[in-house]
Amino acid sequence: MLHITAPHLPYQTELLMDTGHGKRCAFIDLREQASIDTLTGLVREADIFTQGYRPGTIAARGFAPEALAALRARHRLGQPLRLWP
């Protein structure tokens, strides 16, 4: 499991202590092309991709469910789980 967040976003270490056991952490800034390329490579190798951003945020950065499915064609993706009101 790899937990990815952006370096410019608040990082809640208290929350990570509760939910981060056994996870590796990395920072990727999707405002930079090199970071987009890095995440694209990670998605190609991932078995599962989940995201906790507001609806549409990660899609606006080029990682909509359809784009993820195209990157990982051999895996079937389910519908996004919406946790924001």
Side-chain angles (χ1 to χ4, degrees), residues 39-72:
L39 185 57
T40 298
L42 290 169
V43 168
R44 284 190 176 119
E45 299 298 319
D47 292 319
I48 297 171
F49 181 93
T50 64
Q51 65 93 19
Y53 292 102
R54 291 180 310 249
T57 301
I58 197 89
R61 302 285 185 192
F63 294 95
E66 299 81 14
L68 294 169
L71 289 171
R72 196 66 173 148

Side-chain angles (χ1 to χ4, degrees), residues 19-34:
T19 63
H21 298 291
K23 293 179 186 174
R24 294 176 293 155
C25 295
F27 293 95
I28 294 180
D29 188 346
L30 294 178
R31 299 174 296 180
E32 300 176 5
Q33 186 60 47

